Amino acid sequence: MKALGTHIVCELSGCDPAKLSDVDAVADMMVQAAHEANATVIERAFHRFQPQGVSGVVVIQESHLSIHTWPESGYAAMDFYTCGDHTDPWAACEYAAKALVATVMTTTEVKRGIEAGADRYTHVVTTDHDVRELARIA
Amino acid sequence: MKALGTHIVCELSGCDPAKLSDVDAVADMMVQAAHEANATVIERAFHRFQPQGVSGVVVIQESHLSIHTWPESGYAAMDFYTCGDHTDPWAACEYAAKALVATVMTTTEVKRGIEAGADRYTHVVTTDHDVRELARIA
């Protein structure tokens, strides 16, 4: 199955609220996550909400990484979507989970841009709703 | 099942290559898609690749919308992720498919930020790999 890209939908729970609140630190973490994935950053857009929470996206040469945080709940909703054989979105995902000190990581992986004939592209959910207890395996 | 957000992963095939190549038009279309979803745009970041292709994200008050285009294949990989009961990511998705003159739309819907007890958040794939022939139902 040849796919143009891999997209990980990820919920991180039990994160450090302080790390979810600092927009500059979150942006830096996301850029580093892109580097961990061996991706090239081309644009970034981050915003801090009042009273709390951060939303932001790093557009990479190979698609994008996104984050939306709820510090009051220790929760971050993230996406890691990279194209090309040279990138590894899982490296970005693992890095973010560690950086935010998450205790539970729930992921679903979607292979995207799969040729389905006649100029048609489709996607396939390859791992659905995988839950990892990070505190226990640390 | 109470979820903080709904995330649609979407592949659009058979799109008009010219509409996938013009970065300003794509950015405007994405902002309009956000409005169609009843979302509030707070940031945008778009990039045109050489020789062709556009990547970009609209960060909204309620999460984000993203697009990555392959004009040479008439293909766009998109995400429509909105939070809150007042938004409808499907309205953005339908709008984008029409605007790009897609003939086939493949979607998977993920309900995100579902409380799973003890400060844990999870997600659930609610519709997997739904394929719609847009030209035939137009």
Side-chain angles (χ1 to χ4, degrees):
Chain A
M1 184 179 66
K2 178 66 181 167
L4 290 174
T6 300
H7 188 161
I8 303 164
V9 174
C10 172
E11 323 294 320
L12 294 178
S13 304
C15 301
D16 180 342
K19 292 185 188 296
L20 299 180
S21 304
D22 181 336
V23 65
D24 294 330
V26 167
D28 289 347
M29 184 278 288
M30 293 295 284
V31 167
Q32 184 57 36
H35 294 161
E36 297 288 330
N38 199 33
T40 302
V41 174
I42 49 177
E43 302 274 353
R44 66 175 87 178
F46 284 85
H47 180 80
R48 188 186 192 288
F49 293 101
Q50 293 302 336
Q52 56 188 344
V54 169
S55 270
V57 179
V58 177
V59 178
I60 54 181
Q61 191 84 23
E62 303 87 354
S63 292
H64 73 265
L65 310 181
S66 75
I67 185 168
H68 306 285
T69 77
W70 284 258
E72 68 277 24
S73 305
Y75 166 55
M78 302 191 69
D79 293 86
F80 306 91
Y81 176 19
T82 71
C83 290
D85 294 336
H86 66 291
T87 58
D88 177 9
W90 284 103
C93 183
E94 306 271 352
Y95 173 81
K98 277 191 189 171
L100 298 174
V101 203
T103 56
V104 184
M105 177 168 89
T106 302
T107 53
T108 289
E109 185 190 82
V110 186
K111 292 287 188 188
R112 302 192 59 174
I114 298 168
E115 284 194 58
D119 290 327
R120 280 175 178 230
Y121 290 82
T122 188
H123 58 234
V124 173
V125 175
T126 40
T127 64
D128 183 2
H129 190 257
D130 183 60
V131 181
R132 278 174 52 188
E133 306 273 347
L134 301 177
R136 293 183 193 163
I137 63 171
Chain B
M1 184 178 66
K2 178 64 182 168
L4 291 174
T6 299
H7 188 159
I8 303 164
V9 174
C10 172
E11 323 295 320
L12 294 178
S13 304
C15 301
D16 180 344
K19 293 184 187 295
L20 299 180
S21 304
D22 181 337
V23 66
D24 293 330
V26 167
D28 289 347
M29 185 277 288
M30 293 295 283
V31 167
Q32 185 57 37
H35 294 160
E36 298 288 329
N38 199 32
T40 302
V41 174
I42 50 177
E43 303 273 353
R44 66 177 87 180
F46 284 85
H47 179 81
R48 188 187 193 288
F49 295 100
Q50 293 300 337
Q52 58 187 345
V54 169
S55 270
V57 179
V58 176
V59 179
I60 54 180
Q61 190 85 22
E62 302 87 354
S63 291
H64 73 264
L65 310 180
S66 75
I67 185 167
H68 306 285
T69 77
W70 284 258
E72 68 277 24
S73 306
Y75 166 55
M78 302 191 70
D79 293 86
F80 306 91
Y81 175 19
T82 71
C83 290
D85 293 337
H86 65 291
T87 57
D88 178 8
W90 284 103
C93 183
E94 306 272 351
Y95 174 80
K98 276 191 189 170
L100 299 174
V101 203
T103 56
V104 184
M105 177 168 90
T106 302
T107 54
T108 289
E109 184 190 82
V110 186
K111 292 288 186 187
R112 301 191 62 173
I114 298 167
E115 283 194 58
D119 290 329
R120 281 175 177 230
Y121 290 83
T122 187
H123 58 234
V124 172
V125 175
T126 40
T127 65
D128 184 2
H129 190 258
D130 180 60
V131 179
R132 278 175 52 189
E133 307 273 347
L134 302 177
R136 290 180 194 166
I137 63 170

